[in-house]
Amino acid sequence: QVQLVESGGGLVQPGGSLRLSCVASRSVALYVMAWYRQAPGRQRELVARIIVGDRTNYADSVKGRFTISRDNNGNTVYLEMNSLEPEDTAVYFCNAYLTPANDYWGQGTQVTVSS
């Protein structure tokens, strides 16, 4: 079992920045780590993903604005979010995936972009 705890969400004005953190209860260095988000009335969508070797990919809507990274200990993943837009408002979830039987989610952190 892996417990994931997200933090760093909040209220920010358009154009602002936030940094989300996801701390795992044990090393997830071999896991695919990802951030998803879900806005009211919409399906959960992939925002960014980082795999072994630190290769990353991003949703088109956040490319050039968001950066996913992980620390050297292998148990914390970050999402740096810049130039935030109202459309980025959502609950952001951290995901750790190794196999279908080892697929874990955090409880989510709210990000609200509004003036």
Side-chain angles (χ1 to χ4, degrees):
Q1 280 282 350
V2 177
Q3 283 76 47
L4 302 173
V5 179
E6 302 102 331
S7 62
L11 173 64
V12 63
Q13 292 186 341
S17 299
L18 283 174
R19 188 193 198 201
L20 305 184
S21 299
C22 170
V23 179
S25 56
R26 60 177 177 85
S27 176
V28 286
L30 297 180
Y31 284 66
V32 175
M33 299 300 297
W35 287 94
Y36 288 75
R37 67 186 180 187
Q38 188 167 19
R42 301 187 67 175
Q43 290 188 333
R44 191 172 296 189
E45 63 174 356
L46 176 67
V47 175
R49 178 167 49 205
I50 186 167
I51 63 175
V52 175
D54 287 349
R55 285 184 293 167
T56 59
N57 51 51
Y58 298 90
D60 287 344
S61 59
V62 307
K63 280 181 182 176
R65 300 189 298 122
F66 290 11
T67 303
I68 188 171
S69 61
R70 66 167 94 207
D71 72 353
N72 292 330
N73 293 330
N75 69 342
T76 304
V77 177
Y78 305 97
L79 185 68
E80 186 76 36
M81 305 186 295
N82 298 313
S83 302
L84 282 161
E85 304 167 353
E87 293 73 23
D88 296 316
T89 295
V91 178
Y92 284 70
F93 297 91
C94 180
N95 174 256
Y97 179 88
L98 186 63
T99 68
N102 294 277
D103 184 6
Y104 304 102
W105 293 87
Q107 82 288 349
T109 185
Q110 176 70 48
V111 172
T112 302
V113 185
S114 175
S115 55

